[in-house]
Amino acid sequence: KYQYPNDEKVMKSTPTTMRIKGGDDQSPTAAEKKNETNPLDQGGEEKQEQQLRMVILAGPHKTASTETQWFLANLQWFFQKSLLAPFQWPSDPDGEIHTKQFSNLVKDLYEEQRQQKTKKNEFVFEDYKEGNFSYKEHYRNEFQRIWSHRQTSSNSIVLGAELWGPLSLHKYGPGAIRELMALLPSNKNKVTVALNYRTPRFDHLFSIYQQSKKMQEHLHGGDSFRNWMCKMDCTLPDPKLNLRVLNTLGQALAFRRLQQDDGDDVVVVDMSGAAAQGMDIREVYACEILHLDACKNPSSRNRMLATMEKPPKTKEYSLSGVKTPTESSTKINNSTAKLLLPPLSETLNDLEGQINEVLRKLDCSYFDAITSPNSGIRLLYSSYNASYCPSAFRKEASSFTDGHACLAIQKVLKCPGSNFPSSLPPPLPPPLPPVPTGMKRSDISNTTRMTIIEGHFSTILSIISVVTIYLFRRAMRGHFSHTKR
């Protein structure tokens, strides 16, 4: 059994040494070292041509993302020989590694973009404080430090922040994501964005409500589910706990549009599909997305999987001092559900099917774009297929957005004034064209942009011609009338 540290502080790590504080040395044996060969040690040319890889765990909220981050960060912290190789989990400004450390980076980049666009010194995130310290510059230096070790086996970067998911659909989110990519020190980058798709879809929505209720209880006791949904602004103006949080497929498409190189990709993991095949979501990330070296060696793989074991219930903190995520089922019984929907006579369980259909319609609005062979989006363990989204249903859902889904759920719950306003955000544009070999997506975007500009120019010329003819005819009619008089 692995021993856990007695103190509650996160152990500080250095690039060269990561040892257990207060526990046994879990260094690999000589036999294990012999078996765990580094493929980069086989030739100098391969080292120089090596590509920097970054994997972004983008959530979204309430999809076991914190638990996955906790697992991966501890693979680096827990062992003297990191089981996270060939990746590194960057350190925070205090030299520590933990699960929530990148939220400050997200807020830094987002608030910077928002203030540049609006010219207003206001903050969307209430807990964000502008100061002299720049998380953006800290992580730029940290990424450079990791990249400077590219002659070793741990030279790629993995990081996670649940905010990236919903922010990808927000007005200023894409600019913040581009700024994150600009922090990478190499021009030869491969960026993978990983997202979790949680089903049943209603369970994800209700879990988001529960999180919101916990956040609000200290203010006014929290809302019922119906009141929470009825108060939701369906124009979804700011990054809050709303329907953009559970729109995993919309987030995947938004991230894909931001990626520049044909080597970049987006991965969506169907959590229920993975569980049905006996796969733990953390193992999926370790071995099928990150392709960790530890997955290739039976001994290392067993040690890696052993870290999935939760600490004893008496322990409030994980291996690295981060609070261990607690699992709570969103399944509710009828007596509880009656308390969540006043003043309706129906229970939440009665309306669950209708809400699931609304969210299914939202998912199917992205079907053609997501499942296109050239989409650049990989679906793992997915049940998202033509039987889930038949053609007639897809046609009906083609222009259905997360704003429409919000209003449709409000109608199911009989919220007052749940009508479709004109200010709802438009659906995402059609899929991007495939990227030819050797080209960047930005080249395609520039070509497409020129085509659009040429089309607009032709339209403007046509309008000017029509207006000119109309004014000429009107002037001539006035001239003839004046002559007759």
Side-chain angles (χ1 to χ4, degrees):
K1 292 293 181 180
Y2 299 106
Q3 296 187 14
Y4 302 96
N6 296 322
D7 61 272
E8 297 178 348
K9 298 183 70 176
V10 181
M11 178 182 171
K12 294 189 176 182
S13 61
T14 66
T16 56
T17 305
M18 294 179 190
R19 299 178 66 87
I20 302 173
K21 192 173 184 179
D24 295 335
D25 185 354
Q26 298 294 333
S27 306
T29 64
E32 289 170 347
K33 289 181 180 178
K34 184 178 179 180
N35 290 332
E36 294 175 2
T37 58
N38 182 2
L40 299 178
D41 292 338
Q42 298 173 2
E45 294 183 2
E46 187 175 356
K47 294 177 185 177
Q48 294 182 0
E49 294 297 324
Q50 195 172 7
Q51 188 180 50
L52 171 62
R53 190 177 175 212
M54 171 183 270
V55 175
I56 302 171
L57 282 59
H61 294 77
K62 312 309 295 180
T63 59
S65 53
T66 300
E67 189 167 326
T68 303
Q69 293 176 42
W70 175 84
F71 165 67
L72 294 175
N74 277 293
L75 287 182
Q76 176 168 307
W77 178 87
F78 196 47
F79 293 92
Q80 183 179 16
K81 179 179 174 62
S82 171
L83 289 183
L84 194 58
F87 286 86
Q88 284 196 47
W89 190 275
S91 301
D92 72 1
D94 296 322
E96 301 172 348
I97 54 174
H98 51 92
T99 58
K100 299 297 183 181
Q101 69 187 72
F102 300 106
S103 61
N104 287 323
L105 172 63
V106 179
K107 294 171 184 177
D108 220 7
L109 297 175
Y110 179 84
E111 296 290 4
E112 179 185 82
Q113 285 292 308
R114 185 174 181 274
Q115 291 185 22
Q116 286 178 1
K117 300 293 185 183
T118 62
K119 309 298 182 184
K120 295 179 180 178
N121 191 25
E122 299 173 351
F123 303 117
V124 168
F125 297 102
E126 296 177 358
D127 59 343
Y128 177 80
K129 303 295 183 185
E130 186 179 35
N132 295 326
F133 186 81
S134 171
Y135 288 95
K136 174 181 174 180
E137 292 307 315
H138 164 75
Y139 283 106
R140 187 197 303 276
N141 295 332
E142 182 68 0
F143 294 165
Q144 179 62 52
R145 177 190 67 78
I146 294 173
W147 180 236
S148 67
H149 295 165
R150 57 187 177 276
Q151 301 298 329
T152 69
S153 61
S154 297
N155 66 303
S156 290
I157 298 166
V158 57
L159 55 87
E162 299 166 336
L163 278 172
W164 282 128
L167 279 185
S168 66
L169 297 172
H170 191 261
K171 185 176 182 180
Y172 307 111
I177 295 168
R178 290 190 189 97
E179 283 297 308
L180 173 65
M181 306 301 181
L183 299 181
L184 295 177
S186 169
N187 292 325
K188 297 182 65 176
N189 304 318
K190 173 179 170 56
V191 178
T192 297
V193 178
L195 294 154
N196 293 335
Y197 178 71
R198 179 174 174 178
T199 56
R201 304 298 284 134
F202 173 78
D203 284 6
H204 192 183
L205 175 62
F206 193 77
S207 186
I208 294 168
Y209 155 70
Q210 288 182 313
Q211 177 71 17
S212 178
K213 188 170 185 288
K214 287 178 183 177
M215 294 168 63
Q216 297 299 321
E217 277 177 348
H218 68 285
L219 297 177
H220 50 72
D223 278 324
S224 68
F225 176 78
R226 179 177 181 272
N227 288 344
W228 177 73
M229 274 302 311
C230 291
K231 289 179 180 178
M232 187 178 292
D233 182 351
C234 291
T235 62
L236 312 178
D238 293 320
K240 299 177 181 178
L241 289 180
N242 53 39
L243 288 202
R244 278 197 173 137
V245 174
L246 59 74
N247 189 3
T248 299
L249 300 179
Q251 295 168 20
L253 196 58
F255 272 111
R256 185 57 185 150
R257 293 179 191 286
L258 291 169
Q259 292 179 333
Q260 296 295 311
D261 296 318
D262 52 357
D264 297 340
D265 63 347
V266 176
V267 181
V268 178
V269 183
D270 188 325
M271 298 173 65
S272 296
Q277 296 191 34
M279 290 295 295
D280 188 291
I281 189 81
R282 295 164 293 180
E283 187 177 1
V284 172
Y285 270 81
C287 298
E288 298 188 42
I289 297 177
L290 298 177
H291 301 289
L292 299 183
D293 294 344
C295 297
K296 304 170 187 176
N297 179 278
S299 175
S300 296
R301 188 179 184 119
N302 289 336
R303 288 193 297 134
M304 177 189 73
L305 297 181
T307 65
M308 293 184 187
E309 298 176 6
K310 298 276 181 65
K313 290 185 178 181
T314 54
K315 295 281 186 180
E316 291 186 355
Y317 286 80
S318 71
L319 311 181
S320 61
V322 182
K323 281 192 175 181
T324 306
T326 56
E327 296 179 355
S328 59
S329 173
T330 60
K331 194 66 178 177
I332 51 178
N333 57 41
N334 284 329
S335 59
T336 305
K338 288 178 181 177
L339 303 176
L340 300 172
L341 285 174
L344 300 183
S345 58
E346 299 96 330
T347 67
L348 195 55
N349 288 336
D350 295 332
L351 300 175
E352 181 177 341
Q354 297 179 52
I355 295 174
N356 264 326
E357 276 300 291
V358 171
L359 297 176
R360 176 188 170 210
K361 188 174 181 179
L362 174 62
D363 290 343
C364 291
S365 69
Y366 305 108
F367 183 85
D368 292 332
I370 294 287
T371 59
S372 167
N374 299 312
S375 69
I377 299 174
R378 288 191 292 143
L379 303 175
L380 298 182
Y381 301 98
S382 178
S383 58
Y384 182 69
N385 50 37
S387 61
Y388 181 74
C389 298
S391 57
F393 193 71
R394 295 202 303 270
K395 186 176 181 180
E396 179 186 349
S398 59
S399 59
F400 200 70
T401 69
D402 37 20
H404 294 113
C406 171
L407 286 166
I409 294 174
Q410 288 182 348
K411 285 187 174 182
V412 169
L413 298 175
K414 300 176 183 177
C415 298
S418 53
N419 297 315
F420 284 76
S422 59
S423 57
L424 278 179
L428 289 175
L432 294 171
V435 181
T437 305
M439 290 185 68
K440 289 188 175 183
R441 189 165 294 279
S442 57
D443 300 329
I444 296 295
S445 301
N446 292 334
T447 304
T448 305
R449 193 177 299 113
M450 288 304 299
T451 303
I452 293 172
I453 291 173
E454 290 171 2
H456 287 333
F457 185 69
S458 300
T459 303
I460 292 170
L461 286 179
S462 300
I463 293 172
I464 292 173
S465 300
V466 170
V467 172
T468 302
I469 293 171
Y470 169 77
L471 293 175
F472 176 76
R473 288 179 176 175
R474 184 172 179 180
M476 292 302 293
R477 280 198 299 270
H479 172 72
F480 287 132
S481 300
H482 180 72
T483 303
K484 287 179 181 179
R485 289 189 194 133

